[in-house]
Amino acid sequence: MGKVYTPTAEDFPTTADVVVIGGGIVGVASAFWLSRAGLDTVLVEMRDGLSTLTTPNSIECFRAQFTEPPMAELALPSIEVFEDFAEVVGIPGYDISLRHQGYLFVTDDPDMLDDLKAAVDTHRSLGVTDSEFLDGGELLARFPFLSERVVGATFRQKDGWLSTHEATQGFAKGSSAAYLVSTKATGIRRDAGHPGGDWGVSAVETTRGSIATRTVVNAAGPFAGVVGRMAGLDLPLEPVRRQKVFVSPKPQIPQDAPLTIDLVEDAYWRPETGGAYIAWVDPDEPAGEPAEELPTEWDYAALVLEKLIRLNPFWEEVADSLKSEDLHPSAGQYVYTPDEQPLIGPVPELAGFYLNCGYWAGVMLSPEAGKRIARLVTGEMQPEDNLLR
């Protein structure tokens, strides 16, 4: 079983086969698979617990409805891990609160219908055989909370959400890695001691000491660019603030609904414990610096509700009854790359330095992305076979 602890001088590990930097779900899943591959694995996390920065500020969802082959290649096996999580981590009965309530991408714009139908065809070509195109009549019959304005959608019932905290902790408990919390990476040492004389990593320096290693995985989420600079690399990563609001329980919120995304407004919601999470992807939100504390805008909830009401009219009744204490905002950071797909695998310029970062969809892709890192590190997978290199 993995050990999560704040190290002291007596129990700080000074060597490791591989060091993972970053204790969100992506980093912890990476450490899980690396340790399962038989490598002496140490993860360092600057905060006082795993899964305490970006991961819990996500909306905790997963989907297989991707049209980009590299993303679908990660999404499908990741969902299979979530569905069989207790057996994968080797902890009988372990529960990550998996809910298959679906993802609904819906529109009231007729000009989008051909693209939605084409998306379903692409899903099928990528192995997702159970997504559907639904027209307006089918939508209203199956999801009566929607406005009569809707004209079409794609839907997959087996998409859904889970507890990211429990999933992250389950990966940690099911591994044999050491997870050092309150331990911040401060530098990466390099030398020419790798096979063939290649210039590569030799140690990770932390606030508690140095760990000699020939393999480092940068899974530092919004701080992955900072870690890259420690290794002399300028990675194309842009952290962008993303807000969400938990709305306290209200009887008007249908708890059997899927995650519902208005494709015109780019606003979405899903039920949660009698209430709901609501959010909107603001296209004008600028890239910023990585941060542990992020402000929330006082009017964000009102903006999101206004957008949601268009296709989800029940939100108007909910909004009329809301008080300030019913709204619980929070914010995290997506990390964008130029093609909006993650960076995974070894960096050719620095032997032994691997990336598993650049995510706006880290939760849903983390199981297979972590497994891919382990396969690349051990040589089971060749870099040229990795579409996200």
Side-chain angles (χ1 to χ4, degrees):
M1 179 175 288
K3 183 180 179 182
V4 182
Y5 67 106
T6 301
T8 65
E10 289 72 31
D11 57 14
F12 181 83
T14 57
T15 63
D17 291 333
V18 56
V19 175
V20 178
I21 302 175
I25 193 169
V26 171
V28 175
S30 299
F32 170 84
W33 290 111
L34 287 161
S35 71
R36 282 292 180 94
L39 298 174
D40 177 20
T41 304
V42 174
L43 180 146
V44 295
E45 165 55 44
M46 65 181 178
R47 292 165 67 85
D48 60 4
L50 303 177
S51 182
T52 60
L53 185 61
T54 304
T55 301
N57 280 312
S58 74
I59 206 161
E60 303 186 294
C61 291
F62 60 87
R63 62 178 164 99
Q65 293 183 74
F66 282 99
T67 56
E68 307 89 349
M71 302 292 270
E73 194 174 79
L74 294 179
L76 276 171
S78 290
I79 293 172
E80 290 174 359
V81 169
F82 289 140
E83 291 174 337
D84 199 22
F85 195 80
E87 184 170 338
V88 169
V89 299
I91 306 174
Y94 194 86
D95 185 9
I96 59 171
S97 301
L98 195 73
R99 302 294 294 271
H100 285 301
Q101 289 187 216
Y103 251 74
L104 184 70
F105 293 91
V106 63
T107 185
D108 61 344
D109 181 358
D111 291 339
M112 300 181 76
L113 295 183
D114 287 345
D115 287 343
L116 291 177
K117 293 174 183 176
V120 172
D121 291 338
T122 301
H123 298 161
R124 289 185 173 15
S125 73
L126 296 175
V128 181
T129 59
D130 55 350
S131 66
E132 310 171 71
F133 171 79
L134 304 175
D135 63 25
E138 291 172 305
L139 281 168
L140 292 173
R142 291 172 65 170
F143 307 108
F145 60 83
L146 291 172
S147 164
E148 293 184 358
R149 300 174 54 168
V150 298
V151 295
T154 67
F155 177 67
R156 181 177 183 266
Q157 182 67 66
K158 292 193 74 177
D159 294 339
W161 51 88
L162 69 156
S163 166
T164 55
H165 174 78
E166 294 302 335
T168 305
Q169 298 301 322
F171 277 130
K173 293 174 182 176
S175 77
S176 59
Y179 298 86
L180 313 186
V181 296
S182 300
T183 305
K184 184 177 182 178
T186 57
I188 295 172
R189 292 210 299 264
R190 295 163 287 168
D191 66 11
H194 281 250
D198 291 336
W199 191 255
V201 299
S202 61
V204 174
E205 297 173 344
T206 79
T207 50
R208 296 182 181 275
S210 295
I211 308 171
T213 185
R214 289 298 183 189
T215 305
V216 174
V217 177
N218 179 0
F223 289 86
V226 176
V227 173
R229 288 191 289 276
M230 293 177 191
L233 302 168
D234 184 15
L235 301 174
L237 301 171
E238 292 191 331
V240 178
R241 180 185 62 163
R242 293 297 179 212
Q243 301 177 73
K244 71 175 182 183
V245 179
F246 175 67
V247 180
S248 293
K250 297 290 178 182
Q252 301 93 339
I253 301 174
Q255 292 299 297
D256 58 350
L259 183 140
T260 303
I261 302 173
D262 179 336
L263 289 170
V264 174
E265 296 287 357
D266 219 359
Y268 52 95
W269 71 277
R270 74 162 176 86
E272 173 68 20
T273 58
Y277 284 125
I278 64 172
W280 164 55
V281 177
D282 181 355
D284 297 322
E285 182 76 35
E289 294 300 315
E292 292 187 69
E293 301 294 335
L294 293 160
T296 56
E297 302 298 328
W298 68 271
D299 60 347
Y300 178 76
L303 289 170
V304 180
L305 286 167
E306 182 179 6
K307 294 175 181 298
L308 291 177
I309 286 168
R310 277 180 4 97
L311 301 188
N312 306 267
F314 73 86
W315 277 112
E316 184 166 17
E317 186 179 349
V318 174
D320 288 343
S321 67
L322 286 176
K323 300 176 182 178
S324 60
E325 56 264 31
D326 293 324
L327 301 172
H328 310 275
S330 61
Q333 287 178 311
Y334 283 1
V335 182
Y336 289 99
T337 64
D339 65 359
E340 298 190 1
Q341 297 180 34
L343 305 177
I344 299 176
V347 175
E349 299 89 343
L350 186 63
F353 193 73
Y354 290 76
L355 304 177
N356 196 2
C357 55
Y359 287 93
W360 57 266
V363 167
M364 65 180 75
L365 304 180
S366 58
E368 184 64 14
K371 189 173 185 179
R372 180 171 297 186
I373 282 291
R375 294 177 66 215
L376 288 162
V377 168
T378 60
E380 182 183 341
M381 183 180 197
Q382 297 305 306
E384 58 268 24
D385 297 326
N386 168 32
L387 295 177
L388 294 163
R389 61 188 180 277

